[in-house]
Amino acid sequence: RERGRPWFDRQTMLILAFACWSGLSVLWSHTLIPALHFLATMTQIAFFWVLMRGLVRTRGALRTVSISFLAGTLLAVAASIAFPRWSIGPRMIYARGNPNHLARDIVISLILLMYFIPKWRPSRRAIGIAVGVMLVFSLALTQSRACWAAAAICLPILFLRRGGVRSAGALVGMTFGAIVLLGMGVFAARLGITPRLLQARGRSMFVPAVIRGSRAEIWRAGLSIAWAHPVLGVGAGNFIRHMPEAVERMEYFSHPHARLAAHNSFIDAFAELGVIGLALLAAVLIECFRGLKGQPPGTEKMLAWSLLLFATIRMIFATSHYQKSIWFALVLSQIVIARGIFRPEIEEALADETD
């Protein structure tokens, strides 16, 4: 834990163990390429975690990393608008790739932006607010209902502190809700959201006869795969391969494309890596939550809670444990609460060393 050295704490060791177990699953995987791809991704994530914990040790470094992520998200939004899959608008929903991934990065960027905006000068603050409004409209256009809900839960956390909610935070929260509702209303027709579609989606949540590939049914199929291979799993990257045979035994599942992802990181880890992989992934999150225990109240702690809860929510509703942005949110949630890292005397000492 010396300055400038990699940070090997319990969280890091658990992540390295999860990456190693993912690599071992190649031995019992029947499809080599997906397993090797997953192994390469987890290896990158493990080294990324170690480097971030070792190098981001001052407020300036945290600000630089956060603004870089925010700039990358803005470029992704611009690319989605400039290079649509079809020449109809609004183009955000038709951008190449999965719009849920863009929505994920937008929410992380909004969390970081709301943390830094109060610390900026008035001129920069105005620019930050304008960027935030643009990101909120972009989030509305992605149609990612899970990310809308996660944003509504996680963003207000930034305005909590001892003694109640800051009035400015409450105002921003209400403005955020109003903008999202306005964006959904204005662009509903252009997004293809019609009363008939909303009624069908509502029925699909409660009427078994019309459930056709909903998340609940996908999770049920994933659990059937997991319980059939509980110890070692089917191997990293093999969930999609086993999905068709699982849904064949389900009465109401009639999705036209049965080769679906798990849409849940924990079910996917259980099915692909067995109970050991699931335990390691759960242990990482538990250690991250334990890191918040006993921390003094403050905006950094609220930022950590917001990032950590968002990553957890995304893992529940998407197969996110191999997505780098989720691990970026997790590691930042731990960096901002690391004891002593952001004390002025340490920043001064690091600055002297640099000089």
Side-chain angles (χ1 to χ4, degrees):
R1 298 191 181 187
E2 297 177 6
R3 289 195 291 266
R5 302 287 182 86
W7 191 300
F8 289 96
D9 57 0
R10 184 180 298 179
Q11 295 169 357
T12 305
M13 297 306 295
L14 286 171
I15 292 170
L16 292 173
F18 182 67
C20 291
W21 183 252
S22 302
L24 287 175
S25 72
V26 174
L27 299 176
W28 57 85
S29 174
H30 297 288
T31 52
L32 184 61
I33 300 301
L36 290 177
H37 174 75
F38 186 83
L39 172 61
T41 301
M42 285 308 306
T43 302
Q44 293 176 39
I45 289 171
F47 280 107
F48 170 77
W49 183 285
V50 172
L51 290 174
M52 286 284 288
R53 291 299 298 266
L55 298 177
V56 181
R57 302 183 60 77
T58 66
R59 292 184 187 275
L62 175 65
R63 183 171 56 250
T64 300
V65 169
S66 301
I67 292 177
S68 298
F69 184 89
L70 178 60
T73 303
L74 292 175
L75 288 175
V77 170
S80 299
I81 296 173
F83 304 104
R85 182 173 296 176
W86 300 292
S87 57
I88 53 179
R91 298 174 175 180
M92 195 68 62
I93 187 63
Y94 302 113
R96 297 188 181 278
N98 190 336
N100 288 289
H101 295 173
L102 180 59
R104 171 203 63 207
D105 294 348
I106 288 174
V107 176
I108 295 175
S109 296
L110 280 170
I111 292 173
L112 295 173
L113 191 63
M114 287 190 174
Y115 169 74
F116 284 107
I117 279 179
K119 305 175 184 298
W120 289 343
R121 295 195 297 268
S123 58
R124 293 184 179 179
R125 196 176 304 163
I127 296 174
I129 291 173
V131 170
V133 170
M134 185 187 71
L135 288 176
V136 168
F137 271 107
S138 302
L139 178 62
L141 294 179
T142 62
Q143 277 199 50
S144 178
R145 292 165 292 172
C147 283
W148 291 345
I153 293 171
C154 296
L155 288 175
I157 293 176
L158 288 170
F159 309 113
L160 296 176
R161 65 176 184 179
R162 179 180 293 178
V165 181
R166 289 182 288 181
S167 58
L171 178 62
V172 172
M174 289 186 291
T175 304
F176 170 78
I179 291 175
V180 170
L181 292 176
L182 175 64
M184 291 173 63
V186 170
F187 295 110
R190 301 294 294 278
L191 287 170
I193 301 176
T194 63
R196 183 177 179 181
L197 177 59
L198 290 175
Q199 183 180 13
R201 283 184 172 179
R203 292 182 64 209
S204 69
M205 295 171 63
F206 303 105
V207 183
V210 297
I211 292 178
R212 296 293 184 264
S214 67
R215 270 186 171 83
E217 293 299 288
I218 294 172
W219 294 347
R220 190 158 67 91
L223 287 174
S224 70
I225 297 173
W227 288 118
H229 309 82
V231 180
L232 298 179
V234 297
N238 274 317
F239 183 92
I240 294 178
R241 179 176 175 270
H242 286 262
M243 188 67 174
E245 62 188 53
V247 301
E248 285 180 0
R249 301 187 294 269
M250 299 175 63
E251 180 180 358
Y252 295 116
F253 197 105
S254 62
H255 197 282
H257 305 290
R259 296 178 65 84
L260 296 169
H263 292 281
N264 184 295
S265 291
F266 305 103
I267 292 176
D268 185 88
F270 189 15
E272 293 188 349
L273 305 174
V275 67
I276 297 177
L278 174 62
L280 288 172
L281 180 61
V284 171
L285 283 179
I286 291 172
E287 282 298 317
C288 289
F289 277 104
R290 286 182 60 186
L292 298 179
K293 185 178 179 181
Q295 294 291 334
T299 55
E300 282 73 25
K301 185 176 183 178
M302 294 301 101
L303 173 62
W305 270 111
S306 187
L307 289 169
L308 185 51
L309 283 178
F310 175 73
T312 305
I313 292 171
R314 286 305 296 156
M315 283 188 175
I316 293 174
F317 291 99
T319 311
S320 302
H321 58 291
Y322 57 83
Q323 296 175 3
K324 298 179 180 68
S325 295
I326 293 301
W327 292 96
F328 174 77
L330 286 174
V331 71
L332 279 190
S333 73
Q334 303 307 296
I335 287 174
V336 298
I337 60 169
R339 295 182 184 275
I341 282 185
F342 297 124
R343 289 190 312 204
E345 59 269 21
I346 291 188
E347 292 197 18
E348 292 174 2
L350 289 174
D352 292 339
E353 285 186 2
T354 304
D355 294 338

